[in-house]
Amino acid sequence: MLTKTIYILVDCIAVINILFLLKAMKNNSEYYAKWLSYALKTAIVAILANIFVACSFNKVSAEISYALYFSSIDWIIYCLTVFCLVYTNHRRFSKRFAMPTMIIMAVDTVSILLNLLFNHVFYIFETKDASGVIFYQTGFRPLYYFHLAVDYIPLAFVLFLFVYQMFKSYSMYRIKYIGILSVLIFVIVLNIIYMTAGLLLDASVIFYSVAGTLVYFCISTFVPKSLMSVSVGSATDNMNEGLILFDLNDNCIYANTFSKERFDVNEKTYNFKSEPVATVVNTLRSKGHEYGTHHYIHTVSSNGVITEEHYNIRYSELTDKKGRTIGSYFLIEDTTEDVRYLREIQEAKNIADAANSAKSTFLANMSHEIRTPLNSILGLNEMILRTVEDPLLKEYSENIRSSGNALLGIINDILDFSKIEANKMDIRPTDYNPHDLLRECYNYFHQMAEGKDLYYTINCDENIPSVLNGDNKLIRQIMSNLISNAIKYTKTGGVSVNVSCSELNDKKVDLLITISDTGIGIDAKDIDTLFDSFKRVDEKENYTIQGTGLGLSITKDLIKLMNGNIIVESAPGAGSTFRVSIPQKITDKTPLGTFKIHDDKKPEHVYRESFHAPTAHILIVDDIKVNLTVIKALLKKTELKIDTAGGGDEAIELCKKHKYDVILLDHRMPAPDGIETFVSISSEGLNTLTPVVMLTANALIGMDVEYAELGFSAYLTKPIQSAELEKTLIDLLPEEKVELTEPEQI
Ligand code: ADP
């Protein structure tokens, strides 16, 4: 009775365990899980049948229950075999195997059930234990061997297949076979031990529960985890980065192939004192960091050649899913190529910078070399203009002046271009009246248009604010470039300029300037490259028209500098329209009203000095004699007392003897140059406080700031313009010595 109760209790535990397994597997939609659940459900039937055997009240009911129990065991093995085939990716095979085996199994089941009718011809016997309790056992009759064959041949085949596949498959998938095989062998061995120990068969039902649990553990935990660890291990070994893991006690637990190959890491001997981790940890700690990244340089010597390898090594904490520290790791990234690449880029940049600075020097030299003779040409021509009476000679002289100014324009364009390229073009906003700007544009070009028999009109919206704030000089330069192009590239018809504005907000407007011409127009294919530097359209056809291909490039850059925009609409033969918009601040919102052109027809060139200063004494220093002559001549009518010096040394000597009111000093002179001379003069002697004006042919980037910083009071670029020279002197000479000429006299 006690034995029976124990059996029933064990059976109930086994059923409960299987029910839990079934519940856990509910969410697994894989095909193999279906077969495992069939096996487990059949196991429940077997266990329940076993309970019925124990509880049966007569021989018939006991035998029926036992037959049920016995045949369900066959089906468990069947389902388990199919599961194994499906799980190990032999689904096709399982489909072929399932039907014939099922038929044989059905025959076997029927024969077991018929056992009762045919007086135990099959193999189930009633037996009694020592205390007289009746049990049922199998007996070794011929049908029993058939039964065994039906059950175990497929299983043996599966086992064989597993062993075969285990050797054949890749390490990752081998785990699946090893897992299931070990479970099956374990359960079979337990069963054999159980049977050979002479124990009663009934208790073997617990093995279904044990087997189910083990298989479940195998497919849900062991195999995935093993697969993951094999995959992760293989992935980290194939990684192009190093990975070294340490446990909480700083013992190395893993190093991937990369680390082993590059740093000779051996997990057993490697620790925090080994390189490169020692350097990384020490450097980080010396900077007060626990974890972080360090750039490590590894020197490798091979065949006497020493090379540097660069690594970025990241030292981080290793945590589990709950964020608890479980160790640390080093991730080693080879940056040798990046470093080499960066060095190459840096070298290329240095070369480019050197080339760029060579270009700037070249521009400075070119500017100087051209401006110096141009200074003499224009200066002396100015003298001719001032003195000559003969109209023909005067016309020739006027022509020299306009050609000289055109040449100066080209040099200025090139310098502007280099300033923009070097990002040294500044915006200098001032308050200005838009009408004044437009008048200047009109006066500057209307003669040029007239000369070509073209109309030239300027229309201005009456509502434009009367005072805007922005860099009007740059806007004038933009408009000049576009208007001069429009006149240059138009043969008949003319040019019209329209100016309006659209309010952006209370304090800002977009100044909209439209310049339209009826000229040769531009082909659509050329519009994209129109604003490229040194690019001229139809170079052959426009050969006769003067230009460098820089104007539009500078125009676009200047507009961009002021956050504006330019668009072109043009077609060959139909003229061109350039639309410019530039944001400007509003200083005075009052509308400007009607725009009127004061036709300031350029007066014939009549020079009149703007001041007289007979008591003032100035010194002019230049190593080029003709320049001294030019400046002296330009200032002749001002009655200034002028000394000249042909070099720095001579100037210093003169400064020791005389106290000058202003000194005009050339920059580029054989030693001492203008700056050295200036330093000597202003550090000792009579002229330490005398204003010094730098005369320079170098109109390059930022020179104004540079000269001001050095202590010069002003600077004048060559070719020296007479009006500018006089204005500078009026500003710098002692007020009491300057007598301005009456305005109406000019
Ligand atoms: P350039 O010094 O040659 O005038 P730009 O940069 O000012 O250089 O202009 C580039 C080219 O664009 C010119 O060579 C010319 O072919 C074309 N272009 C510029 N403005 C006009 C225009 N208003 N009509 C026709 N073609 C123009």
Side-chain angles (χ1 to χ4, degrees), residues 485 488-489 517 522 530 535-537 542 547-549 551-552 576:
N485 272 352
K488 259 192 329 189
Y489 297 104
D517 64 57
I522 304 157
L530 200 63
K535 179 95 188 164
R536 301 196 72 203
V537 177
N542 294 337
T548 53
L552 284 185
S576 315

Side-chain angles (χ1 to χ4, degrees), residues 286-325:
S286 70
K287 289 180 186 164
H289 304 303
E290 172 106 44
Y291 299 107
T293 305
H294 174 67
H295 183 87
Y296 180 80
I297 300 173
H298 187 45
T299 316
V300 188
S301 140
S302 126
N303 300 332
V305 182
I306 295 175
T307 46
E308 265 185 6
E309 289 175 355
H310 293 258
Y311 296 94
N312 263 355
I313 303 184
R314 196 170 90 214
Y315 175 41
S316 301
E317 184 184 27
L318 199 61
T319 52
D320 65 6
K321 279 182 189 162
K322 289 184 179 163
R324 293 174 297 210
T325 308

